[in-house]
Amino acid sequence: MGIKPLIFIHGGAGNYRLFSEEALQRRRVLLNEIAVKSFEVLISKSALDAVEYAVKLMEDSGAFNAGLGSVLTLNKRVEMDAGIMDGKTLNVGAVACISNFGNPISIARRIMEETDHILIAGVSAERLAEFFGFKPDSSLITEEKLERFKKVYDAWIKGERKRMLKIREIVMSSPDLFNFLDTVGAVAIDSDGNVASAVSTGGYWLKLPGRIGDVPLVGCGFYADNEAGAASASGVGEAIAKVTLSKMCCDFMRNGFSAQEACEKAIAVLTRRIGDNTAGIIAVDKTGGYGFAFNTAGMCRSIFIEGMEKPAVAIFPEEPFIVD
Ligand code: ASP
């Protein structure tokens, strides 16, 4: 039997217990819609096109911490990272620390396809994006974000949020600082057995200007290899990078574990070596199996596999996530 094409998307791992039911529902609706739309691209085009499109729609939604919805740095700027990988060719493209473009994932893809490099950062990446024809977007810093910034900043100044001492201390002593991890990502496999992975983020609130996390680093926030599978992660970037989470997950699949076993094993290593409440991951293996695991309170996720009537969508571990 041939491979059933599937797209699996995520809208971040984090403490969604703190969100209102309305905010959670908004995410579920978007995840459902975006899984449906990107599945159409998967069927008519390829896994690579589908993961880029899914992430682009999530960037455009403004509801997730990527593209339009990106959070602010310590000096009230937006600095976004994104990465994409084609499992057929092992081609990679990534962009880091860009401030004023709505779709970092598409810039990452152009870097993959039209340059000799895999990762371009900062002002040079922005110049390159303009050269590629992307239009700068000045609407990324909103009043709403500035208000939220003030709350987070005030709490930090008062010492309610211990921050910027050392990343490990931040993660261990103030997990609440990372409550709003809404990074977006996607993995897919098409009917030719090609896999792809994509991920895009604004990082996290109050990050130092110039900080680059796991998202544009190949093997950390994303990885794809037709001989293994594809993975896309979300969570505390410094933790994810230390264990090269997505590559580790793909290596488990390469060694014969299913996507589900690989995700569980990768998150178990992360939890043991770095700590709990640090990240989540989604994956697809080369046989078309899917998996996910997280050590955070929740992970926004949606999957659409050929033959399903509608996508499965869930955020919390206890929520039904029915794939039939
Ligand atoms: N991994 C992202 C970062 O550290 C954040 C996230 O996943 O929400 O930049």
Side-chain angles (χ1 to χ4, degrees), residues 13 65 81 180-183 201 203-204 211 213-215 233-238 240:
N65 174 19
D81 304 331
F180 300 95
L181 297 176
D182 271 334
T183 288
T201 191
Y204 49 73
R211 175 265 187 191
D214 61 304
V215 162
S234 172
V236 182
E238 289 72 10
I240 293 170

Side-chain angles (χ1 to χ4, degrees), residues 127-144:
R127 283 209 190 131
L128 191 62
E130 286 201 55
F131 169 78
F132 286 146
F134 291 93
K135 295 267 170 288
D137 184 344
S138 56
S139 64
L140 268 50
I141 299 175
T142 59
E143 278 308 311
E144 201 186 332

Side-chain angles (χ1 to χ4, degrees), residues 75-87:
N75 60 349
K76 298 190 201 167
R77 279 168 57 85
V78 165
E79 290 184 357
M80 299 165 289
D81 304 331
I84 189 163
M85 185 161 184
D86 178 1

Side-chain angles (χ1 to χ4, degrees), residues 3-67:
I3 285 173
K4 278 191 187 175
L6 83 79
I7 177 109
F8 195 178
I9 66 177
H10 74 73
N15 193 356
Y16 291 99
R17 305 266 181 223
L18 300 179
F19 280 54
S20 67
E21 190 44 48
E22 194 190 346
L24 293 171
Q25 206 41 35
R26 182 171 176 224
R27 280 170 177 74
R28 288 191 188 97
V29 168
L30 278 166
L31 288 165
N32 183 79
E33 277 173 20
I34 293 170
V36 170
K37 287 186 181 155
S38 47
F39 184 76
E40 283 165 19
V41 173
L42 178 67
I43 296 302
S44 58
K45 294 185 171 173
S46 66
L48 188 65
D49 288 317
V51 295
E52 181 196 352
Y53 188 62
V55 167
K56 185 177 174 316
L57 292 180
M58 288 190 276
E59 287 173 340
D60 288 343
S61 74
F64 300 99
N65 174 19

